Amino acid sequence: MKNIVKKNIVIPIILSAIFISTTAFKNDFFEIAKQIEIFTTLYKEINMNYVDETNPADLMDTAIKSMLDDLDPYTRFMNEQDVEAARINNTGDYTGIGARVKTQKDKLIIIEPYKDYPADKAGLKAGDEIIKVGDIMVSDYKEDSGNLLKGASGSTVNVTFKRNNNTKTATIERAEVEIKAVPHYSMVDTKTGYVVLSKFNRKASAETSYAIRDLKAQGAERLILDLRGNPGGLLNEAVNIVNLFVPKGQLVVTTKSKVKKYNKQYFTSREPLDTDIPLVVLIDESSASASEIVSGTLQDLDRAVIVGARSFGKGLVQRPKQLTYGTQVKITISRYYTPSGRCIQSLDYWNRNENGEAVRVKQENYNEFKTKNGRKVFDGGGIFPDVTINKVKNTTITKAILNSDLIFDFATDYYYKNPSLDIDNFKLTDTDFKDFKTFLENNNFTFTTDTEKALYKAYETSIKENLNNDIKADYDALISGLRNSKKQAIDAHKDFILKSLTEEIVKRYAYREGLYEYYKANDAHIKKSTQILGNTMTYMDYLR
């Protein structure tokens, strides 16, 4: 049924909004009107005549998503719940239980309770499985069960949850929750300040400025700005963060679009906080969008040394457009470019390969640009650090392990088997790694490689062609070899697995705040950054 409406569909609501607001589409008036009429007729006939009962809302949802899937991952239809989630992300404020929660089919999982907020005060912990909210069984609730936890500040909600196969209850008093853009800042040593910026909401630059001022008052003469895992956010806040370190009137980012009014240059507009303090910026594979604007601009201006791994490469700019009934469509309108002219975007969604997949620019096709001091930098997507540390290739196995939630589940088991932990001296051992591999086996962890998919497809074809008797033994031998290779691949990613496990376990005992303290003593990125900042000649050599 869904296949019927999946291809060649134009959604009236979205196209009407596009048509009204964007003059570039006026020349296509006839084609737009034609496609709207075709879709409306098709939609009516399907709902009236299909052999089984259809759900008009489900059909429309599939049609919208299928149409937008042909564009890029960031152009998205937003229902009323999505719009509210975006508001919370941008403001950092909401009313609720104060915990990160994952919705599953028949339960809600507490992923991370925020320290001293309602869920934490009520005794809930990461790994708790909420099965009942008030009188409503989560398994019977057909909509997003996470909404059951929302309510006015001061109101209470009773939850029933499972922990270690035991059923417990708790009463949570909802409250105003503030999600900080800067969840942590402190001194690494007597002269080095450390600031974690986790998102670019409306408070990002104000909180970062406050943190830096406080650290300088404590004696900080150099700074580490940690943007690892920061997915981005508001563009103007990225400009304001850069403005803390560079003079007023400096170009920070340029956006380019086929629509003339979206072609803009963004300059710093305030007096800076400190243009001289030595600065290292930490990035990784999850640093995206606004994080890349900040790190890329500071690199182009030779204002900071960038340490870590190549960033995500999200250089597409979205703008929400209001639709009817409280919904929106978030449309990609342009691309980001750093001051040197580099495009941040890594994947090309408009020139896909034969499998319909977006592709990266090949390294031999990277374009060279120059920083303010004449250093060579390159495009090709994302920001390349000046100092690369612990680069982890995003492989099939790393994705599979992270998506399986088994690192999270192992940490839950570890926490209850080890009631106390010396965080300062905590380090997982080879025995712990062996235990994790056993945990994977006991939980039937599997993943399928592209090689296996290709072999299975070839074997299926051989069956149709009556050749399977000739190649069955070879096929089985190859599959057996691949299984052994997959086991070896887990060992090859030991460092990545142990790091991920360590971070998850430390949070169980000391919350996220404790994880940042653990980083200061154990993290290779922070150690390297402190070393660079501790030697003026070394620091300046990176920027020459």
Side-chain angles (χ1 to χ4, degrees):
M1 161 52 121
K2 292 187 177 181
N3 289 335
I4 297 176
V5 295
K6 193 167 184 179
K7 296 180 180 179
N8 301 319
I9 293 177
V10 178
I11 308 304
I13 296 173
I14 294 178
L15 286 182
S16 296
I18 293 173
F19 174 72
I20 292 170
S21 63
T22 310
T23 56
F25 286 94
K26 286 186 176 179
N27 292 335
D28 295 331
F29 173 77
F30 174 76
E31 188 62 25
I32 292 172
K34 172 185 171 183
Q35 296 301 329
I36 288 175
E37 185 176 354
I38 290 172
F39 174 81
T40 303
T41 306
L42 172 105
Y43 189 58
K44 175 182 175 182
E45 293 297 332
I46 292 279
N47 281 289
M48 288 178 61
N49 299 306
Y50 189 70
V51 62
D52 293 322
E53 287 296 321
T54 60
N55 185 316
D58 287 345
L59 283 177
M60 182 62 77
D61 187 64
T62 300
I64 292 173
K65 289 177 179 177
S66 299
M67 178 179 72
L68 298 183
D69 280 344
D70 282 343
L71 300 178
D72 63 69
Y74 313 111
T75 297
R76 281 287 172 260
F77 172 72
M78 301 168 68
N79 58 31
E80 293 170 276
Q81 290 76 26
D82 296 329
V83 172
E84 174 62 11
R87 184 198 67 77
I88 291 171
N89 188 58
N90 287 337
T91 62
D93 298 322
Y94 73 99
T95 301
I97 68 169
R100 208 155 56 89
V101 179
K102 182 175 183 178
T103 304
Q104 294 187 344
K105 184 177 181 181
D106 58 349
K107 58 194 172 187
L108 294 167
I109 307 295
I110 300 292
I111 299 298
E112 181 183 359
Y114 302 140
K115 187 178 182 181
D116 296 330
Y117 277 109
D120 182 39
K121 290 179 179 179
L124 269 71
K125 298 183 180 297
D128 288 347
E129 302 176 2
I130 298 177
I131 57 175
K132 188 177 180 181
V133 180
D135 296 325
I136 301 174
M137 295 297 296
V138 174
S139 58
D140 296 334
Y141 198 70
K142 303 303 180 185
E143 299 178 27
D144 184 352
S145 53
N147 293 328
L148 296 171
L149 300 174
K150 297 178 181 178
S153 180
S155 64
T156 59
V157 57
N158 298 315
V159 298
T160 303
F161 61 95
K162 287 185 177 181
R163 177 188 295 168
N164 265 355
N165 296 318
N166 295 315
T167 301
K168 298 176 178 288
T169 60
T171 299
I172 308 173
E173 183 177 339
R174 301 180 181 97
E176 293 290 333
V177 178
E178 179 186 8
I179 303 174
K180 291 185 175 295
V182 177
H184 178 89
Y185 70 89
S186 61
M187 298 293 289
V188 177
D189 56 35
T190 57
K191 293 185 178 181
T192 309
Y194 174 58
V195 180
V196 179
L197 179 58
S198 62
K199 60 178 57 187
F200 287 83
N201 61 23
R202 291 173 187 168
K203 302 174 183 178
S205 58
E207 289 184 16
T208 304
S209 177
Y210 178 87
I212 294 172
R213 291 174 190 274
D214 195 351
L215 290 171
K216 291 180 70 174
Q218 294 179 45
E221 298 177 3
R222 48 216 185 208
L223 285 173
I224 301 170
L225 178 62
D226 195 341
L227 297 180
R228 290 176 296 175
N230 186 323
L234 301 175
L235 172 59
N236 64 308
E237 285 298 299
V239 176
N240 291 338
I241 295 291
V242 172
N243 201 168
L244 297 174
F245 306 106
V246 304
K248 181 179 179 179
Q250 172 63 53
L251 175 65
V252 175
V253 64
T254 301
T255 60
K256 297 181 181 180
S257 170
K258 71 173 185 180
V259 182
K260 187 176 181 180
K261 66 179 180 179
Y262 296 143
N263 292 331
K264 292 185 177 181
Q265 290 183 312
Y266 294 83
F267 294 85
T268 53
S269 58
R270 305 172 182 176
E271 292 303 322
L273 180 60
D274 192 327
T275 59
D276 297 316
I277 189 168
L279 176 65
V280 166
V281 177
L282 304 182
I283 61 173
D284 65 9
E285 299 88 347
S286 299
S287 304
S289 192
S291 293
E292 296 172 296
I293 292 173
V294 170
S295 56
T297 300
L298 293 175
Q299 186 181 51
D300 281 0
L301 300 177
D302 297 301
R303 182 61 189 85
V305 176
I306 312 302
V307 174
R310 178 183 178 179
S311 63
F312 182 82
K314 181 186 179 295
L316 300 177
V317 187
Q318 285 73 47
R319 177 168 294 185
K321 297 288 185 178
Q322 301 293 328
L323 303 177
T324 55
Y325 299 104
T327 62
Q328 295 180 5
V329 59
K330 189 172 66 172
I331 305 175
T332 296
I333 60 169
S334 55
R335 290 181 177 85
Y336 289 129
Y337 295 82
T338 68
S340 67
R342 289 183 289 169
C343 180
I344 295 173
Q345 180 61 23
S346 62
L347 294 176
D348 186 349
Y349 295 102
W350 298 271
N351 296 288
R352 301 177 184 240
N353 63 21
E354 60 276 9
N355 297 319
E357 300 166 335
V359 295
R360 283 185 180 272
V361 178
K362 293 182 179 179
Q363 187 169 350
E364 58 265 28
N365 294 325
Y366 289 173
N367 296 302
E368 181 183 308
F369 297 83
K370 294 291 181 66
T371 69
K372 185 178 180 181
N373 289 342
R375 294 187 298 141
K376 294 179 181 179
V377 288
F378 300 88
D379 62 6
I383 303 302
F384 293 83
D386 301 309
V387 182
T388 300
I389 298 178
N390 293 344
K391 181 179 179 181
V392 177
K393 190 174 182 181
N394 198 7
T395 63
T396 301
I397 186 169
T398 57
K399 292 177 184 176
I401 289 175
L402 292 174
N403 292 336
S404 71
D405 289 331
L406 291 176
I407 284 178
F408 179 85
D409 293 340
F410 183 86
T412 301
D413 283 0
Y414 189 98
Y415 176 75
Y416 290 112
K417 289 176 180 177
N418 300 273
S420 62
L421 191 72
D422 180 3
I423 297 295
D424 293 336
N425 298 303
F426 175 61
K427 186 175 182 179
L428 290 172
T429 65
D430 289 343
T431 300
D432 294 315
F433 183 63
K434 184 178 178 181
D435 289 344
F436 180 69
K437 291 196 291 184
T438 301
F439 187 80
L440 292 179
E441 292 178 7
N442 292 341
N443 285 274
N444 301 314
F445 171 70
T446 59
F447 66 99
T448 304
T449 64
D450 290 338
T451 305
E452 284 175 295
K453 292 176 184 177
L455 284 173
Y456 182 72
K457 187 174 182 180
Y459 183 66
E460 274 192 321
T461 303
S462 74
I463 293 174
K464 293 176 183 177
E465 296 176 347
N466 294 319
L467 298 173
N468 56 305
N469 290 333
D470 297 328
I471 68 169
K472 181 69 166 63
D474 291 336
Y475 172 77
D476 289 341
L478 285 169
I479 292 297
S480 177
L482 276 171
R483 286 174 184 154
N484 291 330
S485 295
K486 288 198 290 185
K487 290 180 180 179
Q488 293 171 9
I490 294 176
D491 290 331
H493 290 83
K494 178 181 177 180
D495 290 344
F496 164 80
I497 292 170
L498 288 179
K499 181 176 182 293
S500 301
L501 285 170
T502 298
E503 292 175 352
E504 193 62 51
I505 290 170
V506 168
K507 284 192 296 181
R508 300 306 172 94
Y509 294 89
Y511 301 89
R512 185 165 293 273
E513 291 82 352
L515 177 61
Y516 296 126
E517 290 293 337
Y518 181 84
Y519 280 160
K520 289 196 303 179
N522 298 278
D523 183 69
H525 295 73
I526 295 176
K527 288 182 178 180
K528 182 63 176 179
S529 301
T530 305
Q531 178 188 340
I532 292 170
L533 290 167
N535 187 313
T536 302
M537 291 300 295
T538 300
Y539 176 77
M540 295 305 299
D541 282 345
Y542 281 113
L543 301 178
R544 290 194 180 104

